[in-house]
Amino acid sequence: MSEAGSDEAGGDSAGGEKVQSKLSAASIGPDWTKVRCPCCVSDRVEPLVLVKLGEKVGPETKRWIIRVIGASQKDGGAALLAHPGEDASGDIIVVSAPRCTLLRATEELGLCKIYRNGDMEAFSYSDRDNFKDSDNMEEFLTLAECQYIVKYELDGLRAQRDLRIPGLPDSCTLHNRDNIWQKLRSFGVIVDTFPLHNPDKLKNLSEAWYSGNQLAQPLDSVNEYFGSSVAFYFSFLDFYTWSLLPPALLGLTITYFSGEVQKEMVESVSGPRATDIEGDSEPPVSGHMLQAVFSMLWSTVVMELWKRRSSSLSYRWGTLHLAERFAEPRPGFHGDLGVNPVTGRVEPLFPEWQRDLRMALVSVPVVGLFLGLVVLGMMCFYWAEAQVQHLHNDWDSLLSQTLLYMPSVLHIVYTNMLATVYKTVAQSLTEYENHREESAFQNHLTAKVLVFTFFNYFAVLFHIAFFKQDVPLLRKRLASLLIVTQLINQVTEVVIPFLVDRFISAPHRTQSEDDPQEEKFRNQGTLPTFPGLFAEYIELLVQFGYLSLFSCVFPLTAVLLLLNNLTEIRSDAYKICKLFRKPFSPPAANMGVWQIAFEVLSFVSVVSNCWLLLLSPRLQDMFQEGGMSSTNVLLLAVLVEHVLILIKVIMAVLIPDEPDWIRKKREHIEYSSMQALRQQKLQSEES
């Protein structure tokens, strides 16, 4: 939580100037809480966050919450600005932030801003006057940064002593060092906290993003409005989508010129008996070989170039030097009150061995259970596949040919349903493990989901390829996945939310320009909560896996993914702008653990493609003609695999993770931060 110092913002404090600002020009009622710091006084306060209170919360409790929000940090408050709404006894509180609180939090979060010489520097509160636009918060900070800082301060509220909350039963008591915001949620006092949309900015962003015919995304505007974590997702989606052009063109070329591939494409759709395409004399190097080698090298180049682009965006958005704060535990952390041996602060403590025990005895078995359900679904898929194939051999009709795809379709639906249930279970398991830091919580949650996702989506494909060694079945399965999964994703992510919003939610939040500002804020609360980017990254990761691991058996993989993603960019933009509440977005320097997951898949693709090439009839004929034994063939495959991995490693080394100018800027920022820290230490010693 930012150090408020003398920036008293208490609602009942005496003295100081009064902020003459209402929620709207026609507002009648109480004003924003007062500020004592002269530099924070303003004629205009922008509402940033809305706090929704429980129905039974009385005026006394509401006034106490407003005082806590407005009090300085040394008095146990958040040093923010609070407005009770048009009705002082209503169930909402609108929150904003004064200049000093925003600036101190900017330093604590480690954000970089433009210095007077035009370069990006890690912001320092003591040197704030030398940073460009530091006196104008609308220019200095993005809207997303301001709203996240409000959440950051509210989540950091801690009780300084045992106290009873006014207007609540005696059982609703805060103990020393309790997280106030977390306790108020558990008591039902606070129902919701969400950032508010700015209608004018949202309209301008929508017109520049998905309403027109433009191909380029306004990433800087997305970062300004939704924050860097959302902007990084859309930047990667854009980069990855256009990176699909080379493999898509190669796939189309191979399919057009290779009679063998044309025959396989027809078989994957119409069945083996409907194939009459005869290829001309095929070249020694088949299209599958070209596609396999290209996919292995393409995946490495794409991820290395993305890391360079990511570092450039991180510098431009001021997140290149984010601070890892060893500060307050995350709101959901609980334990026995004690003294932290590292920080010396009084806070909840939870033994590491208990967390490890919970993971070993609860989390691991539950994850194993769900992996077992994946195997069960796979076995049912094979059984159904055999039954339908037997039926087709007996009937040999159009109906039986259509039924050949039913096991794949049903299994895809099953895996998607299982993934949805597992995500909720993984969230509960990670909460039960009780991680102190938010980063540890997110890393363990992501690891659980990634293990399950990889097993859920790729287990069947690997089993078909490596154990059954049935390339036609693998090709048919991959075609089903590419088509059915994309349709399911589009329907569940866009069509259903749109229909719910259009016919169920929208009629209940009709508004006009003359409506009070408070009603407009309430209408935003009727929108569903944004589900986050987890599912979006999972979808891209699965796509990347299909392309890098198995595209050599289905060269049109990149074509189908490219067509899907061209609509995905606009549908995701429409969804986050119109169908959900605005999310809080913490500053991010890159994609985090997702980037590691993509790189792991890139290396696994070498093993997968080498094995699939071994199953190629052309290569098997060549080996037989050459008189090579199966042992020699396997040794040759291992040798080729190691050579390709070595090539990938060399390419990753030769392509720097960040441009040279970014490296110099980063080192300069680190040096400047070290010098500023040394100077502050000397000043504190002298004083």
Side-chain angles (χ1 to χ4, degrees), residues 363-466:
S363 297
V364 172
V366 172
V367 172
L369 172 63
F370 274 86
L371 296 183
L373 292 176
V374 173
V375 174
L376 178 63
M378 185 171 62
M379 294 172 61
C380 292
F381 162 70
Y382 287 135
W383 178 83
E385 186 84 15
Q387 297 300 315
V388 172
Q389 186 65 50
H390 180 70
L391 189 67
H392 178 61
N393 293 336
D394 292 340
W395 291 5
D396 194 17
S397 64
L398 180 62
L399 175 61
S400 63
Q401 185 173 316
T402 305
L403 289 176
L404 287 174
Y405 286 89
M406 285 304 297
S408 293
V409 173
L410 292 176
H411 186 252
I412 292 169
V413 173
Y414 172 79
T415 55
N416 278 274
M417 293 175 59
L418 196 62
T420 302
V421 174
Y422 178 79
K423 183 180 177 182
T424 304
V425 173
Q427 182 84 22
S428 301
L429 287 175
T430 313
E431 288 282 0
Y432 176 69
E433 291 168 5
N434 196 29
H435 297 279
R436 182 186 184 278
E437 292 84 18
E438 184 66 28
S439 59
F441 177 86
Q442 293 298 333
N443 288 339
H444 280 81
L445 176 61
T446 303
K448 290 183 182 67
V449 176
L450 283 179
V451 168
F452 176 81
T453 299
F454 188 86
F455 204 81
N456 193 28
Y457 285 96
F458 298 122
V460 171
L461 297 178
F462 275 109
H463 188 270
I464 294 173
F466 296 160

Side-chain angles (χ1 to χ4, degrees), residues 4 7-11 66-80:
D7 307 334
E8 181 69 21
I66 291 176
R67 285 198 299 271
V68 171
I69 293 174
S72 65
Q73 181 189 10
K74 65 180 182 181
D75 294 327
L80 298 172

Side-chain angles (χ1 to χ4, degrees), residues 30 42 83 151 162 182 197 200 255 319 337 424 469 538 610 613:
S42 173
H83 195 295
K151 179 181 183 297
D162 293 351
Q182 183 76 11
H197 274 298
D200 295 332
T255 304
T319 60
L337 203 62
T424 304
Q469 300 185 14
I538 286 290
C610 286
L613 286 179

Side-chain angles (χ1 to χ4, degrees), residues 359-662:
M359 288 191 286
L361 298 183
V362 179
S363 297
V364 172
V366 172
V367 172
L369 172 63
F370 274 86
L371 296 183
L373 292 176
V374 173
V375 174
L376 178 63
M378 185 171 62
M379 294 172 61
C380 292
F381 162 70
Y382 287 135
W383 178 83
E385 186 84 15
Q387 297 300 315
V388 172
Q389 186 65 50
H390 180 70
L391 189 67
H392 178 61
N393 293 336
D394 292 340
W395 291 5
D396 194 17
S397 64
L398 180 62
L399 175 61
S400 63
Q401 185 173 316
T402 305
L403 289 176
L404 287 174
Y405 286 89
M406 285 304 297
S408 293
V409 173
L410 292 176
H411 186 252
I412 292 169
V413 173
Y414 172 79
T415 55
N416 278 274
M417 293 175 59
L418 196 62
T420 302
V421 174
Y422 178 79
K423 183 180 177 182
T424 304
V425 173
Q427 182 84 22
S428 301
L429 287 175
T430 313
E431 288 282 0
Y432 176 69
E433 291 168 5
N434 196 29
H435 297 279
R436 182 186 184 278
E437 292 84 18
E438 184 66 28
S439 59
F441 177 86
Q442 293 298 333
N443 288 339
H444 280 81
L445 176 61
T446 303
K448 290 183 182 67
V449 176
L450 283 179
V451 168
F452 176 81
T453 299
F454 188 86
F455 204 81
N456 193 28
Y457 285 96
F458 298 122
V460 171
L461 297 178
F462 275 109
H463 188 270
I464 294 173
F466 296 160
F467 293 95
K468 295 182 66 106
Q469 300 185 14
D470 189 343
V471 175
L473 178 59
L474 176 64
R475 189 177 298 112
K476 185 178 72 171
R477 174 68 176 179
L478 187 60
S480 301
L481 283 169
L482 289 170
I483 296 171
V484 177
T485 302
Q486 307 307 326
L487 289 175
I488 291 176
N489 287 337
Q490 292 290 343
V491 170
T492 56
E493 293 180 8
V494 179
V495 177
I496 293 178
F498 172 78
L499 294 176
V500 171
D501 177 74
R502 178 69 176 83
F503 296 105
I504 299 178
S505 302
H508 297 287
R509 60 169 187 270
T510 54
Q511 64 182 35
S512 64
E513 293 295 330
D514 298 331
D515 287 343
Q517 192 69 36
E518 180 178 337
E519 288 304 313
K520 296 178 181 179
F521 291 162
R522 289 179 186 276
N523 284 338
Q524 294 186 32
T526 62
L527 289 169
T529 303
F530 182 65
L533 297 171
F534 218 98
E536 312 300 335
Y537 274 121
I538 286 290
E539 182 181 350
L540 292 182
L541 186 68
V542 171
Q543 282 189 16
F544 189 79
Y546 291 156
L547 181 58
S548 60
L549 298 175
F550 305 107
S551 64
C552 67
V553 301
F554 194 79
L556 294 180
T557 299
V559 178
L560 296 177
L561 295 180
L562 178 61
L563 293 175
N564 174 81
N565 286 6
L566 287 175
T567 61
E568 182 87 8
I569 293 175
R570 290 178 179 267
S571 62
D572 282 355
Y574 169 78
K575 182 171 63 176
I576 194 173
C577 287
K578 295 295 184 182
L579 301 184
F580 296 100
R581 295 183 200 169
K582 186 181 181 186
F584 286 109
S585 180
N590 47 50
M591 294 196 306
V593 294
W594 295 105
Q595 189 162 298
I596 300 174
F598 279 92
E599 292 184 86
V600 169
L601 275 185
S602 174
F603 276 91
V604 175
S605 69
V606 176
V607 180
S608 174
N609 282 280
C610 286
W611 181 262
L612 290 174
L613 286 179
L614 276 181
L615 302 180
S616 169
R618 168 109 30 113
L619 280 179
Q620 290 180 356
D621 292 340
M622 290 174 58
F623 293 146
Q624 289 179 359
E625 292 174 2
M628 295 183 65
S629 65
S630 57
T631 303
N632 290 335
V633 170
L634 185 60
L635 291 176
L636 178 62
V638 172
L639 177 63
V640 172
E641 171 198 314
H642 281 65
V643 170
L644 288 171
I645 289 178
L646 179 62
I647 293 174
K648 287 173 71 74
V649 171
I650 292 174
M651 291 176 63
V653 172
L654 291 179
I655 304 176
D657 290 351
E658 56 186 11
D660 191 55
W661 69 274
I662 290 289

Side-chain angles (χ1 to χ4, degrees), residues 307-327:
K307 284 190 280 189
R308 292 173 63 86
R309 176 181 172 86
S310 176
S311 62
S312 299
L313 292 175
S314 179
Y315 175 79
R316 193 163 81 200
W317 295 337
T319 60
L320 190 64
H321 189 63
L322 291 179
E324 287 288 339
R325 64 186 184 102
F326 211 111

Side-chain angles (χ1 to χ4, degrees), residues 4-252:
S6 61
D7 307 334
E8 181 69 21
D12 296 337
S13 60
E17 297 185 48
K18 187 178 183 181
V19 181
Q20 300 296 329
S21 175
K22 307 293 198 313
L23 286 178
S24 67
S27 299
I28 298 175
D31 298 320
W32 292 93
T33 50
K34 303 172 185 177
V35 293
R36 181 167 294 180
C37 180
C39 69
C40 295
V41 176
S42 173
D43 293 332
R44 182 178 179 275
V45 179
E46 181 178 12
L48 296 175
V49 173
L50 186 137
V51 178
K52 182 76 164 56
L53 305 178
E55 295 180 357
K56 298 181 180 180
V57 175
E60 184 182 6
T61 305
K62 181 177 179 179
R63 287 193 298 268
W64 177 82
I65 295 174
I66 291 176
R67 285 198 299 271
V68 171
I69 293 174
S72 65
Q73 181 189 10
K74 65 180 182 181
D75 294 327
L80 298 172
L81 300 174
H83 195 295
E86 311 296 341
D87 183 3
S89 60
D91 61 349
I92 68 167
I93 298 174
V94 183
V95 185
S96 187
R99 175 176 178 265
C100 285
T101 299
L102 292 173
L103 293 180
R104 292 180 186 277
T106 301
E107 178 183 29
E108 194 168 341
L109 291 172
L111 296 175
C112 295
K113 295 298 174 182
I114 300 177
Y115 204 62
R116 61 183 178 185
N117 60 3
D119 291 335
M120 278 286 187
E121 299 283 356
F123 179 75
S124 173
Y125 182 80
S126 59
D127 194 27
R128 59 189 178 278
D129 293 333
N130 288 319
F131 282 83
K132 183 181 178 182
D133 296 322
S134 61
D135 57 344
N136 182 0
M137 291 298 98
E138 291 187 5
E139 295 293 332
F140 184 72
L141 293 172
T142 67
L143 177 61
E145 287 170 344
C146 292
Q147 291 173 326
Y148 178 75
I149 286 173
V150 171
K151 179 181 183 297
Y152 173 81
E153 297 294 343
L154 293 176
D155 286 343
L157 285 170
R158 293 269 173 185
Q160 294 186 332
R161 64 182 188 281
D162 293 351
L163 56 91
R164 188 181 66 84
I165 301 175
L168 296 183
D170 292 339
S171 58
C172 299
T173 302
L174 292 172
H175 299 287
N176 186 29
R177 299 300 299 167
D178 274 352
N179 185 290
I180 296 177
W181 216 246
Q182 183 76 11
K183 282 290 187 178
L184 291 177
R185 283 180 178 275
S186 65
F187 295 153
V189 175
I190 293 175
V191 177
D192 209 349
T193 306
F194 60 90
L196 293 168
H197 274 298
N198 184 307
D200 295 332
K201 291 183 178 180
L202 181 60
K203 180 181 178 181
N204 294 335
L205 177 61
S206 301
E207 292 175 352
W209 201 359
Y210 64 84
S211 298
N213 298 320
Q214 63 280 350
L215 292 177
Q217 293 193 82
L219 294 176
D220 289 334
S221 299
V222 175
N223 172 67
E224 195 280 333
Y225 193 81
F226 284 109
S228 54
S229 57
V230 174
F232 267 113
Y233 164 73
F234 280 99
S235 178
F236 180 73
L237 175 60
D238 180 79
F239 178 83
Y240 167 67
T241 299
W242 293 114
S243 298
L244 290 172
L245 273 175
L249 292 174
L250 178 64
L252 287 172

Side-chain angles (χ1 to χ4, degrees), residues 219-374:
L219 294 176
D220 289 334
S221 299
V222 175
N223 172 67
E224 195 280 333
Y225 193 81
F226 284 109
S228 54
S229 57
V230 174
F232 267 113
Y233 164 73
F234 280 99
S235 178
F236 180 73
L237 175 60
D238 180 79
F239 178 83
Y240 167 67
T241 299
W242 293 114
S243 298
L244 290 172
L245 273 175
L249 292 174
L250 178 64
L252 287 172
T253 303
I254 292 174
T255 304
Y256 182 78
F257 287 104
S258 174
E260 178 189 4
V261 174
Q262 290 178 19
K263 179 180 177 181
E264 293 169 350
M265 292 298 103
V266 174
E267 285 181 351
S268 67
V269 176
S270 303
R273 299 193 180 188
T275 308
D276 295 325
I277 296 176
E278 293 293 337
D280 300 328
S281 58
E282 296 289 342
V285 178
S286 69
H288 296 308
M289 299 180 195
L290 287 175
Q291 186 76 41
V293 175
F294 181 84
S295 295
M296 288 183 279
L297 301 181
W298 171 86
S299 59
T300 299
V301 172
V302 165
M303 291 313 301
E304 292 302 315
L305 292 180
W306 162 250
K307 284 190 280 189
R308 292 173 63 86
R309 176 181 172 86
S310 176
S311 62
S312 299
L313 292 175
S314 179
Y315 175 79
R316 193 163 81 200
W317 295 337
T319 60
L320 190 64
H321 189 63
L322 291 179
E324 287 288 339
R325 64 186 184 102
F326 211 111
E328 299 289 344
R330 67 183 189 88
F333 179 73
H334 56 84
D336 297 329
L337 203 62
V339 178
N340 188 309
V342 178
T343 63
R345 287 193 301 263
V346 177
E347 63 179 45
L349 299 178
F350 189 76
E352 189 70 27
W353 67 268
Q354 287 191 25
R355 183 178 300 111
D356 294 339
L357 197 63
R358 291 184 177 188
M359 288 191 286
L361 298 183
V362 179
S363 297
V364 172
V366 172
V367 172
L369 172 63
F370 274 86
L371 296 183
L373 292 176
V374 173

